[in-house]
Amino acid sequence: MADELGRKWDRCLADTALKTVTGVGIGIVFSVLFFKRRTWPVSFGSGLGLGMGYSNCQHDFRSPYLIHGRVVKEQS
Amino acid sequence: MLRVCLRGVKATAQKSSGRIRLTNVQQCREYTTGESSSASRVVAAGLLTVTGGIGGTIIYAKWDHKFRAAVEKNVPYSEWLLGLALGPVSQDSGLPIRKPMESIQPPSMLEKQMRTSKAKSEKKLKETTEHGAQDSGPASPQPAQNIQEASAEATQIISAISEVQSIPAPCDTEPTAAAATVFQDTKSAGTAEPLRERSAEEVAARLAQQNQDEKDIITSLSAQLDDSLASSAKATLQAIGAQEAALQAITQHTHKLKEAMEAEGPSEEKSTQWKDLEAALADRTTSVNDAKTALVKANEALDSLKSVIDKSKGLKITAARPLILAAEENLHKMVVDLDKVVSKVQSAESEAKIVAQYTELVHEAKQQFQREVSSLTPEIQANWKGLTGKLSTDDLNALIAHAHRRIDQLNRELAEQRVQEQIHMEAALEQQRAEDQRALDKAVGTAKQHVKEEARLEQERKLAELREVIEAEMRTQLRRQAAAHTDHVRDVLKVQEQELRAEAEQELSSKLLAQETRYRQLTQEQLDDFTLDMNAAYARLKGVEEAIDSHVEAEEEARKAHRLWLSVEALTYTLKTASTESPSMPLEDAAEAVRASCVENDFALALASALPEESLKRGVYSEASLRARFNSLRSLARRVALIDESHNTLYQYFLSYVQAALLFEKQQEVPPTQLRSEDLDPFKLLSYASYCLEHGDLELAAKLVNQLRGEARRVVEDWLIEARLTLETRQVISLLSAYANAVGLGTTQAP
């Protein structure tokens, strides 16, 4: 259990890095292809990637505390 | 009310603060550094509001006590402040409750006073009424005294037992008043008697003495009255007799005089008549004198009797009244008789005077005629009836002439008389009227006196009768009262007798009951003692038998215990096989051995089966490994100290990491005996747990670590489980070993 946190961090960082890089790549691609080599798709993509990684990280860390509920239809 | 006041105060404060604010704002416009003044303004407004609130509360508390009590109850230090400002709470409400109590007391005291004064007055009244009662007669005091003594004794008994006032028997209204007062007097005499025992006897003696004195006085008085009555009667009778004799003499004399005047007998008869007349006259005078003296004597005697009567009246003894009354009546009768006789005598005397006057006149006329005749015819004697032949014609003519002249004269006188008759008649009438008036007045006066006297005597007689009647009635009512009293006393005595009997019986029954219970108790005790002894003996016998049996058993037990102990020791030893990193050996075999060695021992069996599964299968970690693990865990737990269910964003994680880097706590801190809320900080808990672990107290460390919450808790969860496992296993094993030791100790016999 103590290792879990370390594992989570590993996953998190790896995931974030991957996503950021991927975002940057896609940003570059889009910038090159559709947006006339502007920088904003790159930053947009990196932001997107970071954001996704951050969100995933947070969700991963939060996962023990999340409550999963189901809608139960009332049976009258 | 409070809220209104506060609101008002606040509103005024706000208004004033608003004004101040306005001025301050104005000032602020001028000064660039307006912030400090605004701050002071705010402070001033705040202070004003607070002081206004407190002042208003104090003023209202002074006015309304309930509010003050509520404030003191709810606000902590308000009673000190209010006490300082207003003084202690006044005790107004306490007094009116006490006043009715005090006002109730005086009426009862007044009643008591009235009762005592009434008793005193009644006692006084009783004495006077007793005096008055004693005066009624020599015979009546005796039974009255007896009744009073008897009633006094009865009331003494009653008053000794209870303070009940006895009710007089229902009778007619008028006599009951007198009877009630008399009864009250006797009752008060009875209540007074416990205080002065002798009073009734003294009073009785005094009354007897008084009675005796009165009897003596009455006898002397009656003797006196009788004497004077007798003497006056004798004198009166004498006087009456003398008066009658005088009357007789007077009438005789008058009659004789009349006869002498009218009779025309021969001279010898005349002379005898005259002699008789003189004798009668002498008789009359003597008898009249006698009568006068006798009258005087009688008057004297009557006066003396009157004085005696007055003296006796002055003594005011009611017993003598009838005597006095009789004497007065006699006196009156005598006076009346005397007066009658005196008036008769006086009338006879007046008649006699008339007749005497008449005789005088006749005599004078005769004398005159004789003188005339003798002057005319000196030689002719008076008695001219026998001188028919001796007289000459001249003498006869002279005589006839004289006679004619005399007749003429007489006619003239007669005519004159007739003329003056009216005047004379009137004068005479006047004289007669005057005399009659005088006589009438005198007669009326005497008659009035007599009538007055008679009326007074009548009144006295009636009074005496009435008094007698009343006395008789009073006596009957008293007798009735006494009868009612005796009935009441009888009833009360009956009731008392019943009560006393009931009491005595109750006493007797209770004593009997007590005796019986004591007897039963004693027998029971004896039985119990015997039973106890028997039981003791039996028990000892049994004990001896058991001792012998248990000796055998004990050896068996000892062997078993030894086996158990050995197995438990083996179990304990398995624990020690744990190394720093790996857990111990599985405890399965050792537990099996323990179970085998304690087949019939339920407790040990239960304990042996209470070993957790994990420890049996896998074994437990040692304390040292746990300690090592904890140290690494500690840092981790510190790093995630801020993370829990609600705070688990990445930013929080960052903050938590920063906190862990920046916060320094003691490595090991002594945990307090009682955890407070500030000790639940994870850093503190970890230092406490570290301390405990360093000092070998795994249990407390586990407890402290158990207080972690959130992510820190999740991080140390595994460690906690392991610690719990180890603790559980150790506990069971220690229990078993303790049990085995105890059993072993129990079975070993001291040398």
Side-chain angles (χ1 to χ4, degrees):
Chain A
M1 199 67 83
D3 309 333
E4 194 186 333
L5 207 65
R7 278 201 292 275
K8 269 189 188 167
W9 272 119
D10 290 344
R11 272 206 305 272
C12 174
L13 285 170
D15 188 45
T16 307
L18 193 66
K19 284 203 165 58
T20 313
V21 165
T22 311
V24 163
I26 292 182
I28 288 170
V29 167
F30 268 74
S31 158
V32 161
L33 282 180
F34 301 117
F35 296 110
K36 299 176 197 122
R37 302 218 176 192
R38 296 251 182 90
T39 24
W40 67 264
V42 179
S43 40
F44 183 72
S46 74
L48 210 63
L50 257 176
M52 282 197 290
Y54 184 90
S55 183
N56 270 357
C57 208
Q58 193 162 272
H59 183 80
D60 197 9
F61 276 114
R62 265 193 192 168
S63 53
Y65 302 113
L66 285 174
I67 303 164
H68 302 279
R70 282 187 326 245
V71 175
V72 176
K73 270 226 177 103
E74 218 179 81
Q75 296 186 6
S76 55
Chain B
M1 187 83 188
L2 164 70
R3 282 191 227 112
V4 167
C5 278
L6 282 174
R7 254 184 255 144
V9 167
K10 270 190 188 147
T12 50
Q14 276 170 6
K15 270 193 217 148
S16 59
S17 69
R19 265 186 259 117
I20 294 168
R21 218 178 282 138
L22 280 169
T23 54
N24 277 352
V25 162
Q26 283 173 355
Q27 285 174 354
C28 277
R29 285 203 198 113
E30 295 177 4
Y31 297 116
T32 50
T33 56
E35 290 163 9
S36 59
S37 68
S38 71
S40 65
R41 183 212 340 137
V42 164
V43 162
L47 270 173
L48 202 71
T49 315
V50 162
T51 44
I54 290 171
T57 316
I58 289 171
I59 287 166
Y60 187 62
K62 187 171 182 180
W63 190 66
D64 187 4
H65 288 281
K66 275 192 199 152
F67 170 68
R68 182 178 173 162
V71 163
E72 282 180 4
K73 203 170 68 168
N74 291 321
V75 179
Y77 289 103
S78 59
E79 67 253 21
W80 167 78
L81 185 69
L82 285 168
L84 212 65
L86 300 173
V89 179
S90 62
Q91 299 287 335
D92 278 332
S93 57
L95 283 175
I97 301 165
R98 281 190 221 127
K99 267 181 204 165
M101 301 280 287
E102 287 175 354
S103 66
I104 285 163
Q105 280 177 13
S108 65
M109 284 175 56
L110 277 172
E111 271 182 51
K112 274 192 203 158
Q113 285 174 2
M114 268 165 59
R115 240 181 268 150
T116 51
S117 67
K118 200 176 163 193
K120 277 188 211 158
S121 66
E122 277 173 0
K123 225 160 42 93
K124 277 186 211 157
L125 191 66
K126 163 205 115 176
E127 289 189 4
T128 51
T129 48
E130 277 180 347
H131 282 291
Q134 292 299 333
D135 288 340
S136 60
S140 56
Q142 287 298 332
Q145 210 173 357
N146 292 337
I147 291 167
Q148 278 173 2
E149 279 177 350
S151 63
E153 284 170 0
T155 50
Q156 207 176 356
I157 293 166
I158 293 164
S159 65
I161 288 174
S162 67
E163 282 293 318
V164 174
Q165 274 236 354
S166 41
I167 307 163
C171 299
D172 300 337
T173 53
E174 202 182 1
T176 45
T181 51
V182 171
F183 194 69
Q184 284 277 335
D185 299 338
T186 53
K187 204 263 167 191
S188 64
T191 52
E193 273 186 350
L195 301 173
R196 297 190 303 150
E197 279 289 330
R198 299 281 177 78
S199 64
E201 290 173 11
E202 278 179 12
V203 165
R206 265 223 311 265
L207 285 170
Q209 185 62 36
Q210 265 190 354
N211 189 15
Q212 197 60 38
D213 293 340
E214 279 172 11
K215 260 197 274 191
D216 294 339
I217 289 171
I218 283 163
T219 46
S220 70
L221 201 69
S222 61
Q224 269 185 344
L225 276 171
D226 287 336
D227 285 338
S228 49
L229 256 174
S231 65
S232 60
K234 220 172 28 182
T236 317
L237 278 170
Q238 263 185 2
I240 287 169
Q243 295 281 356
E244 291 214 331
L247 183 73
Q248 275 286 335
I250 290 169
T251 46
Q252 193 84 346
H253 172 75
T254 321
H255 187 72
K256 281 232 170 83
L257 197 63
K258 266 200 207 144
E259 271 184 18
M261 283 298 105
E262 285 165 12
E264 294 287 338
S267 50
E268 298 92 18
E269 285 183 15
K270 272 247 176 198
S271 60
T272 51
Q273 265 186 348
W274 283 115
K275 276 192 198 118
D276 285 337
L277 203 64
E278 278 177 20
L281 184 66
D283 232 353
R284 174 188 156 171
T285 47
T286 50
S287 61
V288 163
N289 287 336
D290 284 338
K292 277 213 189 86
T293 52
L295 185 70
V296 161
K297 259 192 241 160
N299 278 336
E300 272 179 18
L302 284 171
D303 285 337
S304 73
L305 174 66
K306 210 181 178 78
S307 70
V308 165
I309 287 170
D310 288 337
K311 201 171 67 173
S312 60
K313 262 200 222 169
L315 285 173
K316 289 204 181 175
I317 300 166
T318 47
R321 277 214 196 109
L323 296 169
I324 291 169
L325 205 64
E328 274 185 353
E329 277 188 352
N330 282 336
L331 173 73
H332 175 69
K333 261 187 239 156
M334 286 191 278
V335 163
V336 162
D337 287 338
L338 211 61
D339 285 342
K340 257 194 247 170
V341 161
V342 162
S343 65
K344 260 194 239 163
V345 164
Q346 276 180 354
S347 67
E349 271 193 350
S350 65
E351 229 187 82
K353 214 191 295 176
I354 291 170
V355 171
Q357 276 183 356
Y358 168 66
T359 51
E360 283 287 328
L361 274 172
V362 165
H363 202 75
E364 226 185 271
K366 263 201 188 152
Q367 291 279 350
Q368 179 123 13
F369 182 65
Q370 274 289 346
R371 258 185 270 129
E372 281 181 12
V373 168
S374 62
S375 70
L376 280 175
T377 52
E379 60 270 7
I380 294 172
Q381 300 296 321
N383 197 359
W384 52 273
K385 266 195 183 160
L387 299 171
T388 49
K390 293 183 187 164
L391 290 172
S392 60
T393 49
D394 289 333
D395 289 330
L396 281 167
N397 287 340
L399 203 65
I400 289 165
H402 175 75
H404 276 298
R405 257 185 268 126
R406 188 85 180 135
I407 289 166
D408 285 337
Q409 192 202 3
L410 285 172
N411 280 340
R412 252 184 278 125
E413 269 188 30
L414 189 64
E416 272 181 36
Q417 282 293 326
R418 267 205 201 113
V419 165
Q420 288 179 353
E421 177 188 340
Q422 197 66 33
I423 299 165
H424 285 153
M425 197 68 80
E426 279 179 11
L429 271 173
E430 279 296 325
Q431 202 184 10
Q432 194 60 39
R433 213 177 279 144
E435 268 189 36
D436 277 346
Q437 192 67 31
R438 253 180 276 127
L440 186 73
D441 288 340
K442 212 164 93 178
V444 161
T446 48
K448 211 163 51 170
Q449 258 185 21
H450 291 157
V451 164
K452 251 195 233 171
E453 196 70 25
E454 268 181 30
R456 194 178 63 80
L457 287 171
E458 190 72 31
Q459 196 186 27
E460 297 261 324
R461 226 178 298 131
K462 282 225 172 77
L463 263 171
E465 276 174 24
L466 204 65
R467 203 172 280 124
E468 271 188 34
V469 164
I470 287 170
E471 280 288 336
E473 222 175 305
M474 176 163 247
R475 241 175 267 133
T476 51
Q477 292 304 333
L478 276 174
R479 260 180 297 201
R480 216 186 282 178
Q481 187 72 36
H485 176 71
T486 48
D487 282 341
H488 175 74
V489 161
R490 209 179 298 136
D491 290 338
V492 166
L493 280 172
K494 222 184 283 175
V495 164
Q496 270 178 19
E497 184 196 332
Q498 279 175 3
E499 276 178 17
L500 284 169
R501 188 171 289 145
E503 253 185 60
E505 278 178 8
Q506 205 181 19
E507 186 90 19
L508 182 70
S509 62
S510 70
K511 286 261 166 60
L512 270 171
L513 203 69
Q515 282 288 345
E516 261 193 52
T517 49
R518 245 189 51 212
Y519 172 70
R520 272 207 211 105
Q521 220 177 359
L522 280 169
T523 50
Q524 195 64 36
E525 269 179 34
Q526 276 185 0
L527 266 169
D528 288 341
D529 288 340
F530 182 66
T531 320
L532 273 169
D533 291 338
M534 283 299 296
N535 286 341
Y538 187 68
R540 274 168 58 201
L541 182 64
K542 268 273 174 271
V544 166
E545 280 181 7
E546 269 184 31
I548 295 169
D549 286 338
S550 65
H551 197 75
V552 168
E553 278 179 25
E555 280 196 22
E556 184 66 37
E557 284 294 315
R559 245 183 323 108
K560 271 203 229 146
H562 197 66
R563 261 220 326 256
L564 179 66
W565 187 79
L566 279 171
S567 56
V568 169
E569 276 299 303
L571 189 60
T572 319
Y573 189 71
T574 54
L575 272 184
K576 295 198 177 84
T577 58
S579 64
T580 41
E581 287 306 315
S582 60
S584 66
M585 281 167 36
L587 305 174
E588 189 79 51
D589 301 329
E592 194 56 49
V594 166
R595 268 199 287 273
S597 65
C598 59
V599 186
E600 53 291 327
N601 200 338
D602 287 337
F603 181 62
L605 214 59
L607 278 175
S609 46
L611 280 168
E613 277 299 313
E614 195 64 33
S615 68
L616 289 173
K617 295 279 176 352
R618 196 203 56 186
V620 290
Y621 282 94
S622 67
E623 199 175 317
S625 65
L626 284 171
R627 207 181 310 137
R629 240 173 97 183
F630 182 75
N631 286 327
S632 63
L633 273 177
R634 187 181 169 165
S635 55
L636 193 59
R638 283 181 80 248
R639 274 211 292 259
V640 295
L642 273 179
I643 312 297
D644 63 11
E645 292 89 2
S646 49
H647 305 104
N648 52 15
T649 58
L650 276 177
Y651 180 57
Q652 295 284 346
Y653 269 96
F654 172 64
L655 285 174
S656 183
Y657 276 22
V658 168
Q659 187 189 46
L662 291 176
L663 205 131
F664 296 101
E665 80 279 6
K666 281 210 201 113
Q667 190 67 22
Q668 286 161 22
E669 202 176 327
V670 180
T673 43
Q674 262 184 334
L675 274 181
R676 299 188 301 276
S677 53
E678 56 264 23
D679 291 329
L680 294 177
D681 177 44
F683 298 99
K684 270 237 177 80
L685 281 169
L686 288 169
S687 56
Y688 290 155
S690 190
Y691 177 86
C692 293
L693 274 176
E694 286 304 312
H695 288 80
D697 194 354
L698 182 61
E699 194 181 340
L700 190 56
K703 280 184 198 163
L704 286 161
V705 164
N706 196 28
Q707 298 304 319
L708 287 168
R709 295 275 171 265
E711 189 65 32
R713 173 54 176 269
R714 282 188 62 245
V715 156
V716 298
E717 193 71 41
D718 274 346
W719 185 88
L720 206 55
I721 289 167
E722 286 297 321
R724 272 208 207 106
L725 202 67
T726 310
L727 283 166
E728 223 177 301
T729 315
R730 271 208 294 182
Q731 189 180 42
V732 169
I733 287 169
S734 69
L735 272 171
L736 271 172
S737 86
Y739 176 67
N741 281 329
V743 167
L745 271 173
T747 51
T748 53
Q749 287 165 353

